[in-house]
Amino acid sequence: MKISGKTKVACLIGHPVEHSFSPYIHNFLAKEYNVDLRYTCFDVNPTDVKEALQGIKALGIIGSNVTIPHKIEVIPYLDEVERNAAIIGSVNTIKNHEGRLIGYNTDGVGFIKSVLDEGHILKDKHVMVLGAGGASRAVVVALAAHGVGKITICNNTLEKAESLAENVRSNFEEVEVNVMPLAVTSKDLKDVNFLINTTPLGMSSKKDLMPIDQNIVPPSDLVVCDIVYTPHDTKLLKWAMQRQLKVVHGIGMLINQAIASFEIWTGLEIDAYEKVYEILEL
Ligand code: ATR
């Protein structure tokens, strides 16, 4: 499709942005669904976030993704923030709706979709989440909004886990939330249905690490999920597969958060997971 005077633009703002997969995904989706749209990346200095958002309005950019370190900083400059994004306290997607900037967070729902797509049921289940940083907040709030029964948050810095737990308790009264140190034992896992890693342990330079002791004996029906997607098979996922446990790879969250953003900008329903997976060649 040729660029014309009618071609719309969507973008990523972050710092840095060079390694982003988002341009591949969104430009592919635009072509696949015949949407006259191009997606590009802008490296925005932390001091220029307000001006960048004014630019989105002024230039009529239809939407934006937001990545590190701007996911929290953009919030004061938005006209509206969707409820779960407000509870998470971070925005990864902005829609320019007739000149009003609306903030969303698709990271958590992207994760949930990656689990559901594997045929699992999360409703009323006991979910253990390792880590209590930004990624964990998005995942934990989405799990609570989806209707899991119980969430156990494990983190070295217990205050961070407790603050996230309190946030979830006050917004989702029906969900039981507990916290414990990141020192999981076989006993702790006894009644856990899903174990989710949101820490960087297992990622690139930390690829030889995993967030739990490898001598732990897991329940045979435990589903192990990692939001780390490089490498594809993290040490934790390999450990799980060697024990015949079902696993959910981090690539699912990456692809599904992007698809959810594209759906918000265009109003289309996208069914292209497999095709996007193939073009990423991760
Ligand atoms: P992100 O936005 O990717 O979630 P983050 O906000 O820096 O990144 O959070 C990283 C999470 O991984 C935190 O829960 C952190 O634990 P602390 O809160 O105790 O710092 C956890 N984490 C990072 N490196 C870790 C390590 N080497 N061992 C255990 N936990 C680690």
Side-chain angles (χ1 to χ4, degrees), residues 176-217:
E176 181 186 340
V177 193
N178 301 304
V179 306
M180 58 170 279
L182 186 59
V184 180
T185 65
S186 304
K187 199 162 150 241
D188 297 323
L189 277 179
K190 210 162 51 73
D191 68 338
V192 172
N193 306 112
F194 292 85
L195 178 72
I196 305 164
N197 176 47
T198 72
T199 75
L201 299 178
M203 192 198 295
S204 34
S205 66
K206 297 186 178 71
K207 72 174 171 24
D208 296 327
L209 302 175
M210 56 186 269
I212 58 168
D213 182 342
Q214 40 190 326
N215 296 317
I216 278 179
V217 182

mmCIF file of all heavy atoms in Angstrom, residues 176-217:
data_model
loop_
_atom_site.group_PDB
_atom_site.id
_atom_site.type_symbol
_atom_site.label_atom_id
_atom_site.label_comp_id
_atom_site.label_asym_id
_atom_site.label_seq_id
_atom_site.Cartn_x
_atom_site.Cartn_y
_atom_site.Cartn_z
ATOM 1 N N GLU A 176 -8.632 -12.920 46.833
ATOM 2 C CA GLU A 176 -7.747 -13.033 48.002
ATOM 3 C C GLU A 176 -6.309 -12.778 47.543
ATOM 4 O O GLU A 176 -5.853 -13.391 46.576
ATOM 5 C CB GLU A 176 -7.893 -14.448 48.593
ATOM 6 C CG GLU A 176 -7.033 -14.657 49.822
ATOM 7 C CD GLU A 176 -7.081 -16.103 50.315
ATOM 8 O OE1 GLU A 176 -8.035 -16.854 49.976
ATOM 9 O OE2 GLU A 176 -6.131 -16.482 51.028
ATOM 10 N N VAL A 177 -5.610 -11.875 48.207
ATOM 11 C CA VAL A 177 -4.226 -11.581 47.799
ATOM 12 C C VAL A 177 -3.286 -11.734 48.988
ATOM 13 O O VAL A 177 -3.516 -11.156 50.053
ATOM 14 C CB VAL A 177 -4.080 -10.148 47.234
ATOM 15 C CG1 VAL A 177 -2.729 -9.985 46.538
ATOM 16 C CG2 VAL A 177 -5.206 -9.802 46.273
ATOM 17 N N ASN A 178 -2.244 -12.543 48.813
ATOM 18 C CA ASN A 178 -1.237 -12.743 49.860
ATOM 19 C C ASN A 178 0.144 -12.388 49.319
ATOM 20 O O ASN A 178 0.344 -12.392 48.096
ATOM 21 C CB ASN A 178 -1.220 -14.216 50.295
ATOM 22 C CG ASN A 178 -2.569 -14.646 50.811
ATOM 23 O OD1 ASN A 178 -3.106 -14.034 51.723
ATOM 24 N ND2 ASN A 178 -3.140 -15.674 50.205
ATOM 25 N N VAL A 179 1.067 -12.110 50.239
ATOM 26 C CA VAL A 179 2.439 -11.845 49.798
ATOM 27 C C VAL A 179 3.409 -12.741 50.560
ATOM 28 O O VAL A 179 3.105 -13.163 51.685
ATOM 29 C CB VAL A 179 2.858 -10.356 50.004
ATOM 30 C CG1 VAL A 179 1.865 -9.421 49.353
ATOM 31 C CG2 VAL A 179 3.036 -10.024 51.463
ATOM 32 N N MET A 180 4.534 -13.022 49.950
ATOM 33 C CA MET A 180 5.606 -13.775 50.624
ATOM 34 C C MET A 180 6.940 -13.462 49.935
ATOM 35 O O MET A 180 6.955 -12.931 48.817
ATOM 36 C CB MET A 180 5.313 -15.287 50.596
ATOM 37 C CG MET A 180 5.133 -15.876 49.208
ATOM 38 S SD MET A 180 5.075 -17.673 49.215
ATOM 39 C CE MET A 180 6.829 -18.037 49.285
ATOM 40 N N PRO A 181 8.062 -13.769 50.608
ATOM 41 C CA PRO A 181 9.367 -13.502 49.989
ATOM 42 C C PRO A 181 9.576 -14.384 48.750
ATOM 43 O O PRO A 181 8.931 -15.432 48.627
ATOM 44 C CB PRO A 181 10.380 -13.872 51.075
ATOM 45 C CG PRO A 181 9.600 -14.006 52.339
ATOM 46 C CD PRO A 181 8.194 -14.339 51.964
ATOM 47 N N LEU A 182 10.470 -13.967 47.882
ATOM 48 C CA LEU A 182 10.783 -14.754 46.681
ATOM 49 C C LEU A 182 11.711 -15.905 47.096
ATOM 50 O O LEU A 182 12.909 -15.904 46.785
ATOM 51 C CB LEU A 182 11.457 -13.851 45.631
ATOM 52 C CG LEU A 182 11.732 -14.468 44.263
ATOM 53 C CD1 LEU A 182 10.463 -14.958 43.609
ATOM 54 C CD2 LEU A 182 12.418 -13.459 43.360
ATOM 55 N N ALA A 183 11.145 -16.844 47.847
ATOM 56 C CA ALA A 183 11.898 -18.006 48.339
ATOM 57 C C ALA A 183 10.896 -19.147 48.411
ATOM 58 O O ALA A 183 10.560 -19.649 49.477
ATOM 59 C CB ALA A 183 12.482 -17.706 49.701
ATOM 60 N N VAL A 184 10.401 -19.530 47.239
ATOM 61 C CA VAL A 184 9.275 -20.466 47.149
ATOM 62 C C VAL A 184 9.724 -21.892 47.460
ATOM 63 O O VAL A 184 10.772 -22.334 46.994
ATOM 64 C CB VAL A 184 8.677 -20.393 45.711
ATOM 65 C CG1 VAL A 184 7.519 -21.343 45.557
ATOM 66 C CG2 VAL A 184 8.265 -18.959 45.380
ATOM 67 N N THR A 185 8.925 -22.608 48.260
ATOM 68 C CA THR A 185 9.214 -24.015 48.582
ATOM 69 C C THR A 185 8.163 -24.912 47.905
ATOM 70 O O THR A 185 7.135 -24.420 47.424
ATOM 71 C CB THR A 185 9.135 -24.266 50.098
ATOM 72 O OG1 THR A 185 7.779 -24.062 50.509
ATOM 73 C CG2 THR A 185 10.063 -23.340 50.863
ATOM 74 N N SER A 186 8.424 -26.228 47.917
ATOM 75 C CA SER A 186 7.472 -27.188 47.337
ATOM 76 C C SER A 186 6.124 -27.049 48.040
ATOM 77 O O SER A 186 5.068 -27.123 47.406
ATOM 78 C CB SER A 186 7.981 -28.615 47.503
ATOM 79 O OG SER A 186 9.253 -28.740 46.940
ATOM 80 N N LYS A 187 6.161 -26.817 49.351
ATOM 81 C CA LYS A 187 4.930 -26.708 50.137
ATOM 82 C C LYS A 187 4.113 -25.489 49.685
ATOM 83 O O LYS A 187 2.888 -25.557 49.563
ATOM 84 C CB LYS A 187 5.312 -26.584 51.617
ATOM 85 C CG LYS A 187 4.194 -26.910 52.547
ATOM 86 C CD LYS A 187 4.742 -27.212 53.958
ATOM 87 C CE LYS A 187 3.685 -26.809 54.982
ATOM 88 N NZ LYS A 187 4.137 -25.771 55.896
ATOM 89 N N ASP A 188 4.806 -24.373 49.428
ATOM 90 C CA ASP A 188 4.101 -23.151 48.995
ATOM 91 C C ASP A 188 3.340 -23.386 47.690
ATOM 92 O O ASP A 188 2.342 -22.736 47.409
ATOM 93 C CB ASP A 188 5.092 -21.995 48.761
ATOM 94 C CG ASP A 188 5.825 -21.598 50.018
ATOM 95 O OD1 ASP A 188 5.197 -21.633 51.080
ATOM 96 O OD2 ASP A 188 7.023 -21.273 49.925
ATOM 97 N N LEU A 189 3.855 -24.315 46.862
ATOM 98 C CA LEU A 189 3.263 -24.523 45.528
ATOM 99 C C LEU A 189 2.110 -25.530 45.536
ATOM 100 O O LEU A 189 1.454 -25.729 44.518
ATOM 101 C CB LEU A 189 4.340 -25.043 44.557
ATOM 102 C CG LEU A 189 5.256 -24.010 43.904
ATOM 103 C CD1 LEU A 189 6.260 -24.721 43.004
ATOM 104 C CD2 LEU A 189 4.470 -23.000 43.089
ATOM 105 N N LYS A 190 1.894 -26.138 46.700
ATOM 106 C CA LYS A 190 0.961 -27.274 46.805
ATOM 107 C C LYS A 190 -0.397 -27.033 46.135
ATOM 108 O O LYS A 190 -0.862 -27.846 45.361
ATOM 109 C CB LYS A 190 0.787 -27.675 48.270
ATOM 110 C CG LYS A 190 0.493 -29.136 48.470
ATOM 111 C CD LYS A 190 0.759 -29.593 49.895
ATOM 112 C CE LYS A 190 0.132 -28.764 50.976
ATOM 113 N NZ LYS A 190 -1.225 -28.741 51.283
ATOM 114 N N ASP A 191 -1.023 -25.897 46.452
ATOM 115 C CA ASP A 191 -2.354 -25.657 45.873
ATOM 116 C C ASP A 191 -2.335 -24.563 44.802
ATOM 117 O O ASP A 191 -3.350 -23.958 44.488
ATOM 118 C CB ASP A 191 -3.361 -25.313 46.979
ATOM 119 C CG ASP A 191 -3.064 -23.965 47.598
ATOM 120 O OD1 ASP A 191 -1.897 -23.512 47.490
ATOM 121 O OD2 ASP A 191 -3.981 -23.332 48.158
ATOM 122 N N VAL A 192 -1.143 -24.304 44.223
ATOM 123 C CA VAL A 192 -1.020 -23.265 43.188
ATOM 124 C C VAL A 192 -1.332 -23.879 41.816
ATOM 125 O O VAL A 192 -0.859 -24.964 41.492
ATOM 126 C CB VAL A 192 0.407 -22.653 43.192
ATOM 127 C CG1 VAL A 192 0.611 -21.721 42.000
ATOM 128 C CG2 VAL A 192 0.652 -21.911 44.497
ATOM 129 N N ASN A 193 -2.149 -23.182 41.008
ATOM 130 C CA ASN A 193 -2.486 -23.668 39.662
ATOM 131 C C ASN A 193 -1.586 -23.067 38.580
ATOM 132 O O ASN A 193 -1.277 -23.722 37.590
ATOM 133 C CB ASN A 193 -3.942 -23.329 39.329
ATOM 134 C CG ASN A 193 -4.910 -23.842 40.379
ATOM 135 O OD1 ASN A 193 -5.527 -23.072 41.096
ATOM 136 N ND2 ASN A 193 -5.018 -25.159 40.498
ATOM 137 N N PHE A 194 -1.221 -21.781 38.764
ATOM 138 C CA PHE A 194 -0.386 -21.098 37.759
ATOM 139 C C PHE A 194 0.778 -20.412 38.466
ATOM 140 O O PHE A 194 0.577 -19.706 39.450
ATOM 141 C CB PHE A 194 -1.200 -20.027 37.015
ATOM 142 C CG PHE A 194 -2.268 -20.584 36.132
ATOM 143 C CD1 PHE A 194 -3.526 -20.893 36.647
ATOM 144 C CD2 PHE A 194 -2.029 -20.813 34.779
ATOM 145 C CE1 PHE A 194 -4.515 -21.419 35.843
ATOM 146 C CE2 PHE A 194 -3.022 -21.342 33.964
ATOM 147 C CZ PHE A 194 -4.264 -21.645 34.496
ATOM 148 N N LEU A 195 1.998 -20.607 37.923
ATOM 149 C CA LEU A 195 3.184 -19.927 38.440
ATOM 150 C C LEU A 195 3.668 -18.988 37.330
ATOM 151 O O LEU A 195 3.917 -19.431 36.205
ATOM 152 C CB LEU A 195 4.267 -20.956 38.771
ATOM 153 C CG LEU A 195 5.588 -20.386 39.283
ATOM 154 C CD1 LEU A 195 5.430 -19.844 40.705
ATOM 155 C CD2 LEU A 195 6.680 -21.463 39.264
ATOM 156 N N ILE A 196 3.773 -17.685 37.632
ATOM 157 C CA ILE A 196 4.084 -16.705 36.585
ATOM 158 C C ILE A 196 5.334 -15.909 36.954
ATOM 159 O O ILE A 196 5.364 -15.234 37.993
ATOM 160 C CB ILE A 196 2.897 -15.715 36.417
ATOM 161 C CG1 ILE A 196 1.609 -16.489 36.136
ATOM 162 C CG2 ILE A 196 3.192 -14.710 35.305
ATOM 163 C CD1 ILE A 196 0.353 -15.651 36.344
ATOM 164 N N ASN A 197 6.357 -15.978 36.113
ATOM 165 C CA ASN A 197 7.554 -15.172 36.364
ATOM 166 C C ASN A 197 7.450 -13.808 35.700
ATOM 167 O O ASN A 197 7.294 -13.716 34.483
ATOM 168 C CB ASN A 197 8.808 -15.878 35.837
ATOM 169 C CG ASN A 197 10.029 -14.989 36.018
ATOM 170 O OD1 ASN A 197 10.231 -14.418 37.091
ATOM 171 N ND2 ASN A 197 10.825 -14.828 34.975
ATOM 172 N N THR A 198 7.567 -12.737 36.506
ATOM 173 C CA THR A 198 7.613 -11.378 35.933
ATOM 174 C C THR A 198 8.941 -10.703 36.257
ATOM 175 O O THR A 198 9.104 -9.510 35.988
ATOM 176 C CB THR A 198 6.463 -10.485 36.468
ATOM 177 O OG1 THR A 198 6.728 -10.153 37.837
ATOM 178 C CG2 THR A 198 5.111 -11.154 36.351
ATOM 179 N N THR A 199 9.881 -11.449 36.861
ATOM 180 C CA THR A 199 11.199 -10.860 37.150
ATOM 181 C C THR A 199 12.082 -11.007 35.907
ATOM 182 O O THR A 199 11.771 -11.800 35.019
ATOM 183 C CB THR A 199 11.904 -11.580 38.334
ATOM 184 O OG1 THR A 199 12.396 -12.840 37.862
ATOM 185 C CG2 THR A 199 10.972 -11.782 39.521
ATOM 186 N N PRO A 200 13.208 -10.279 35.852
ATOM 187 C CA PRO A 200 14.092 -10.453 34.685
ATOM 188 C C PRO A 200 14.969 -11.705 34.771
ATOM 189 O O PRO A 200 15.808 -11.919 33.886
ATOM 190 C CB PRO A 200 14.938 -9.174 34.699
ATOM 191 C CG PRO A 200 14.849 -8.633 36.068
ATOM 192 C CD PRO A 200 13.640 -9.197 36.744
ATOM 193 N N LEU A 201 14.793 -12.514 35.806
ATOM 194 C CA LEU A 201 15.635 -13.718 35.942
ATOM 195 C C LEU A 201 15.304 -14.696 34.814
ATOM 196 O O LEU A 201 14.153 -15.118 34.681
ATOM 197 C CB LEU A 201 15.410 -14.366 37.309
ATOM 198 C CG LEU A 201 15.768 -13.472 38.503
ATOM 199 C CD1 LEU A 201 15.466 -14.173 39.818
ATOM 200 C CD2 LEU A 201 17.235 -13.063 38.453
ATOM 201 N N GLY A 202 16.326 -15.013 34.000
ATOM 202 C CA GLY A 202 16.106 -15.885 32.837
ATOM 203 C C GLY A 202 16.276 -15.125 31.532
ATOM 204 O O GLY A 202 16.364 -15.714 30.458
ATOM 205 N N MET A 203 16.334 -13.792 31.628
ATOM 206 C CA MET A 203 16.409 -12.944 30.425
ATOM 207 C C MET A 203 17.870 -12.682 30.029
ATOM 208 O O MET A 203 18.692 -12.450 30.920
ATOM 209 C CB MET A 203 15.743 -11.606 30.730
ATOM 210 C CG MET A 203 15.475 -10.734 29.524
ATOM 211 S SD MET A 203 15.181 -9.033 30.018
ATOM 212 C CE MET A 203 13.698 -9.182 30.939
ATOM 213 N N SER A 204 18.164 -12.673 28.756
ATOM 214 C CA SER A 204 19.481 -12.416 28.150
ATOM 215 C C SER A 204 20.668 -12.624 29.088
ATOM 216 O O SER A 204 21.090 -13.754 29.305
ATOM 217 C CB SER A 204 19.501 -11.051 27.475
ATOM 218 O OG SER A 204 18.719 -10.121 28.151
ATOM 219 N N SER A 205 21.206 -11.565 29.705
ATOM 220 C CA SER A 205 22.423 -11.741 30.512
ATOM 221 C C SER A 205 22.146 -12.592 31.761
ATOM 222 O O SER A 205 23.071 -13.126 32.369
ATOM 223 C CB SER A 205 22.981 -10.384 30.916
ATOM 224 O OG SER A 205 22.085 -9.752 31.790
ATOM 225 N N LYS A 206 20.873 -12.711 32.131
ATOM 226 C CA LYS A 206 20.523 -13.534 33.311
ATOM 227 C C LYS A 206 19.923 -14.865 32.865
ATOM 228 O O LYS A 206 19.141 -15.491 33.581
ATOM 229 C CB LYS A 206 19.508 -12.781 34.179
ATOM 230 C CG LYS A 206 20.041 -11.475 34.769
ATOM 231 C CD LYS A 206 19.014 -10.892 35.736
ATOM 232 C CE LYS A 206 19.493 -9.630 36.406
ATOM 233 N NZ LYS A 206 19.561 -8.466 35.496
ATOM 234 N N LYS A 207 20.298 -15.313 31.633
ATOM 235 C CA LYS A 207 19.620 -16.478 31.052
ATOM 236 C C LYS A 207 19.877 -17.787 31.807
ATOM 237 O O LYS A 207 19.118 -18.731 31.674
ATOM 238 C CB LYS A 207 19.930 -16.614 29.566
ATOM 239 C CG LYS A 207 21.320 -17.054 29.220
ATOM 240 C CD LYS A 207 21.395 -17.263 27.715
ATOM 241 C CE LYS A 207 22.780 -17.497 27.182
ATOM 242 N NZ LYS A 207 23.811 -18.018 28.038
ATOM 243 N N ASP A 208 20.968 -17.831 32.595
ATOM 244 C CA ASP A 208 21.257 -19.057 33.341
ATOM 245 C C ASP A 208 20.594 -19.085 34.720
ATOM 246 O O ASP A 208 20.832 -19.992 35.505
ATOM 247 C CB ASP A 208 22.772 -19.236 33.483
ATOM 248 C CG ASP A 208 23.418 -19.422 32.117
ATOM 249 O OD1 ASP A 208 22.745 -20.013 31.242
ATOM 250 O OD2 ASP A 208 24.545 -18.949 31.919
ATOM 251 N N LEU A 209 19.767 -18.066 34.979
ATOM 252 C CA LEU A 209 19.115 -17.991 36.295
ATOM 253 C C LEU A 209 17.633 -18.322 36.172
ATOM 254 O O LEU A 209 17.027 -18.170 35.110
ATOM 255 C CB LEU A 209 19.264 -16.578 36.873
ATOM 256 C CG LEU A 209 20.694 -16.063 37.054
ATOM 257 C CD1 LEU A 209 20.687 -14.618 37.513
ATOM 258 C CD2 LEU A 209 21.459 -16.947 38.045
ATOM 259 N N MET A 210 17.056 -18.768 37.286
ATOM 260 C CA MET A 210 15.605 -18.924 37.347
ATOM 261 C C MET A 210 15.120 -18.450 38.719
ATOM 262 O O MET A 210 15.896 -18.436 39.675
ATOM 263 C CB MET A 210 15.171 -20.357 37.014
ATOM 264 C CG MET A 210 15.777 -21.456 37.843
ATOM 265 S SD MET A 210 15.280 -23.077 37.209
ATOM 266 C CE MET A 210 13.792 -23.367 38.165
ATOM 267 N N PRO A 211 13.865 -18.013 38.806
ATOM 268 C CA PRO A 211 13.420 -17.331 40.028
ATOM 269 C C PRO A 211 13.024 -18.253 41.173
ATOM 270 O O PRO A 211 12.691 -17.773 42.249
ATOM 271 C CB PRO A 211 12.206 -16.526 39.538
ATOM 272 C CG PRO A 211 11.707 -17.282 38.365
ATOM 273 C CD PRO A 211 12.865 -17.966 37.735
ATOM 274 N N ILE A 212 13.022 -19.585 40.935
ATOM 275 C CA ILE A 212 12.745 -20.513 42.040
ATOM 276 C C ILE A 212 13.854 -21.558 42.094
ATOM 277 O O ILE A 212 14.580 -21.755 41.110
ATOM 278 C CB ILE A 212 11.369 -21.220 41.878
ATOM 279 C CG1 ILE A 212 11.291 -21.980 40.555
ATOM 280 C CG2 ILE A 212 10.207 -20.234 42.021
ATOM 281 C CD1 ILE A 212 10.104 -22.922 40.454
ATOM 282 N N ASP A 213 13.958 -22.233 43.215
ATOM 283 C CA ASP A 213 14.953 -23.289 43.405
ATOM 284 C C ASP A 213 14.622 -24.466 42.481
ATOM 285 O O ASP A 213 13.481 -24.948 42.480
ATOM 286 C CB ASP A 213 14.890 -23.716 44.881
ATOM 287 C CG ASP A 213 15.923 -24.773 45.221
ATOM 288 O OD1 ASP A 213 16.446 -25.422 44.289
ATOM 289 O OD2 ASP A 213 16.180 -24.953 46.417
ATOM 290 N N GLN A 214 15.631 -24.920 41.721
ATOM 291 C CA GLN A 214 15.311 -25.987 40.755
ATOM 292 C C GLN A 214 15.027 -27.342 41.405
ATOM 293 O O GLN A 214 14.550 -28.263 40.745
ATOM 294 C CB GLN A 214 16.371 -26.111 39.669
ATOM 295 C CG GLN A 214 17.789 -25.958 40.105
ATOM 296 C CD GLN A 214 18.689 -25.869 38.889
ATOM 297 O OE1 GLN A 214 18.436 -26.491 37.869
ATOM 298 N NE2 GLN A 214 19.741 -25.086 38.978
ATOM 299 N N ASN A 215 15.297 -27.462 42.704
ATOM 300 C CA ASN A 215 15.006 -28.735 43.395
ATOM 301 C C ASN A 215 13.573 -28.826 43.906
ATOM 302 O O ASN A 215 13.172 -29.849 44.454
ATOM 303 C CB ASN A 215 15.978 -28.924 44.558
ATOM 304 C CG ASN A 215 17.398 -29.054 44.051
ATOM 305 O OD1 ASN A 215 17.634 -29.760 43.062
ATOM 306 N ND2 ASN A 215 18.322 -28.347 44.670
ATOM 307 N N ILE A 216 12.824 -27.769 43.717
ATOM 308 C CA ILE A 216 11.416 -27.772 44.136
ATOM 309 C C ILE A 216 10.656 -28.872 43.397
ATOM 310 O O ILE A 216 10.913 -29.136 42.215
ATOM 311 C CB ILE A 216 10.779 -26.391 43.819
ATOM 312 C CG1 ILE A 216 11.138 -25.407 44.920
ATOM 313 C CG2 ILE A 216 9.276 -26.480 43.646
ATOM 314 C CD1 ILE A 216 10.573 -24.047 44.686
ATOM 315 N N VAL A 217 9.730 -29.509 44.109
ATOM 316 C CA VAL A 217 8.868 -30.510 43.463
ATOM 317 C C VAL A 217 7.502 -29.860 43.229
ATOM 318 O O VAL A 217 6.775 -29.580 44.183
ATOM 319 C CB VAL A 217 8.726 -31.773 44.340
ATOM 320 C CG1 VAL A 217 7.861 -32.813 43.637
ATOM 321 C CG2 VAL A 217 10.100 -32.337 44.686
#
